[in-house]
Amino acid sequence: MDPESPWPSLMDGALHTNLLARGMPEESSPEQWVSTHPDILRTLQREFLLAGSQILSTPTLGAGSASLCTRLASITVELAREAGGKAAGVLGPAGLDAQREENPFDHLVQLYREKAAALEQAGVDFFSLEEMASLTEARAGVLACRPFGKPVCVSLALNEDGETLDGGDPTASLLTLQQLGISVFGVSSSAGPDSLIPAVRQLKKFSHVPLAVRPSAGQPNPLLPHLYEIGPSSFQKAAQKLLKAGADILGGGRGTTPAHIAEVKRLLQRGNISPAAPLPEKPEQHNDILLCNGLEFFSLDAERMEFTEPILCESDMADLLLSAEEDSQDLLLIQLDTPEDAALFGANQYLAQLPVCFRSDNEAALARALFLYQGRCLVDSQCEIPRPTLQLLSDRYGAILY
């Protein structure tokens, strides 16, 4: 994506529900079906372009093989080039099977790296991690895509309560991922456009990157399941609310058609949208440090933070972490002596309710811990690792050198 392009921009709409309306059987995989019906895919994506979409998404959300990814993405890339638009190389959720591996996070990163390489081969303009269920999944995708040197965009699926599908606060994901260098952060929900407004308003307070939103068209009609409750004109009104709440980029989720996208395009062409007013900065926030674990974020006063005693890593850290958190400190100070310590804490990190500071004299141990930690942490600078190396590692993984 061209960072100089004016915002907001317009993405395309749904793939799955539009294919169902065009004859795809309910039990079919969209990726497999369009591989044998490429003309239907081309027709649909041309309709989105005519409706005003500036970005076409590759039909690779659930593509299982690299060769299928490349083949399907090439169709989208060709159409986007013809229209002067951009092709988003889509990577979808990896699912639970990947997380049952012996080293689940390493395995996730490898899966996404293979898929990103296939999309890169097809010539996509940027990577788009769509419908991510958790920060862990999204972070694995970002780390896998970064070496290819293309912009990376991330969108998390939210439930009706505005949480990620694993129960997390999307703000924690935003704060973690934008420090990893993503270009766009987004949210989507099958609950309808209005359900996303509170999340967009909250995210706007902390975002340093554009916010993308893919609202659905609500619920399907029980008698006509290919029609959804929110039609194109109502979708335009919902899109206007999202823009006022702070959305920068709009697209369509489940149930949205080229007609829905055309209505949003008309809205953008009118150009009379008043964006959300910037929130006044509070003086007491100047010294705040924002840290995250996998599910929530913490705002701490840099001048008043209190640390636990150093916590040594072992295979079962439940009692250690619980005892440390009962001392009413602000951060867990995790001592890392070897890379094995990093792996042990990585396996126990989901038991930690407080944010984390890593202390280590071992560069390999610190690098491994930062790779595995699913959040944004502090790194203790009082150690034997040279300061430039500490800064490099902290920057690579979005940590704060303290």
Side-chain angles (χ1 to χ4, degrees):
M1 180 181 300
D2 182 0
E4 300 300 322
S5 295
W7 306 106
S9 293
L10 187 56
M11 300 182 286
D12 52 9
L15 175 68
H16 193 171
T17 51
N18 279 292
L19 293 178
L20 289 173
R22 294 165 194 240
M24 185 181 76
E26 289 274 358
E27 66 277 7
S28 295
S29 156
E31 294 77 21
Q32 292 294 337
W33 195 77
V34 296
S35 71
T36 57
H37 298 79
D39 288 343
I40 293 178
L41 173 65
R42 288 189 180 95
T43 298
L44 173 61
Q45 293 197 318
R46 284 194 180 101
E47 290 177 10
F48 277 125
L49 289 168
L50 289 171
S53 297
Q54 299 163 304
I55 299 168
L56 285 183
S57 304
T58 62
T60 52
L61 187 77
S65 71
S67 60
L68 181 60
C69 258
T70 301
R71 189 164 74 252
L72 295 179
S74 296
I75 297 173
T76 301
V77 169
E78 181 183 353
L79 290 172
R81 294 285 184 276
E82 291 174 358
K86 301 292 184 182
V90 173
L91 302 92
L96 292 176
D97 288 343
Q99 299 178 42
R100 296 192 182 103
E101 297 289 326
E102 182 177 351
N103 295 302
F105 191 66
D106 297 79
H107 185 66
L108 270 177
V109 173
Q110 180 59 30
L111 284 178
Y112 281 124
R113 183 177 294 123
E114 292 171 0
K115 192 167 182 179
L119 294 168
E120 162 77 5
Q121 184 178 347
V124 299
D125 295 293
F126 61 94
F127 298 111
S128 185
L129 296 153
E130 298 282 346
E131 298 184 17
M132 296 287 104
S134 67
L135 173 56
T136 298
E137 207 167 45
R139 190 171 172 275
V142 171
L143 293 176
C145 291
R146 281 199 314 190
F148 295 94
K150 292 183 181 292
V152 181
C153 308
V154 179
S155 181
L156 273 79
L158 305 186
N159 60 25
E160 292 182 358
D161 297 323
E163 300 171 330
T164 58
L165 299 187
D166 67 341
D169 184 336
T171 305
S173 297
L174 166 69
L175 291 170
T176 300
L177 297 172
Q178 69 182 2
Q179 294 302 319
L180 290 178
I182 64 169
S183 298
V184 174
F185 182 84
V187 289
S188 64
S189 174
S190 62
D194 287 350
S195 69
L196 290 169
I197 292 174
V200 172
R201 286 177 176 155
Q202 170 70 0
L203 292 167
K204 196 67 176 178
K205 300 176 186 177
F206 298 94
S207 177
H208 301 306
V209 297
L211 294 178
V213 185
R214 275 193 184 272
S216 74
Q219 299 302 311
N221 186 312
L223 300 178
L224 300 168
H226 300 323
L227 296 178
Y228 280 67
E229 62 181 342
I230 300 176
S233 60
S234 297
F235 191 76
Q236 184 195 85
K237 296 175 182 176
Q240 185 168 20
K241 293 179 184 178
L242 287 165
L243 289 168
K244 289 184 175 181
D248 299 296
I249 308 170
L250 287 174
R254 188 178 68 174
T256 58
T257 66
H260 289 78
I261 298 302
E263 285 298 315
V264 179
K265 178 65 175 179
R266 293 187 185 97
L267 171 67
L268 297 177
Q269 286 175 328
R270 291 205 297 266
N272 58 351
I273 302 162
S274 299
L279 293 173
E281 187 177 30
K282 297 179 182 179
E284 63 268 22
Q285 291 181 336
H286 288 171
N287 293 323
D288 280 3
I289 288 181
L290 296 173
L291 301 176
C292 317
N293 60 21
L295 297 177
E296 58 185 320
F297 75 96
F298 307 82
S299 180
L300 304 177
D301 188 331
E303 297 179 352
R304 298 180 180 178
M305 293 188 299
E306 295 185 359
F307 299 76
T308 65
E309 292 298 315
I311 299 172
L312 302 180
C313 298
E314 54 187 56
S315 57
D316 184 356
M317 299 180 66
D319 291 340
L320 281 173
L321 294 173
L322 180 61
S323 175
E325 288 164 0
E326 287 176 346
D327 291 338
S328 301
Q329 307 300 326
D330 298 309
L331 291 107
L332 301 171
L333 182 57
I334 305 299
Q335 180 68 40
L336 304 165
D337 296 324
T338 66
E340 289 71 26
D341 285 344
L344 289 172
F345 181 73
N348 284 273
Q349 64 178 295
Y350 303 103
L351 301 173
Q353 301 299 309
L354 293 178
V356 165
C357 177
F358 289 128
R359 171 182 288 175
S360 181
D361 295 322
N362 185 310
E363 180 182 338
L366 180 60
R368 183 65 177 162
L370 291 171
F371 172 79
L372 292 173
Y373 184 62
Q374 306 306 323
R376 189 182 189 210
C377 64
L378 290 184
V379 172
D380 190 344
S381 63
Q382 303 302 309
C383 67
E384 296 181 6
I385 301 174
R387 179 85 182 199
T389 302
L390 283 175
Q391 192 65 64
L392 181 66
L393 286 173
S394 299
D395 292 346
R396 180 182 301 164
Y397 295 107
I400 301 173
L401 187 58
Y402 180 75

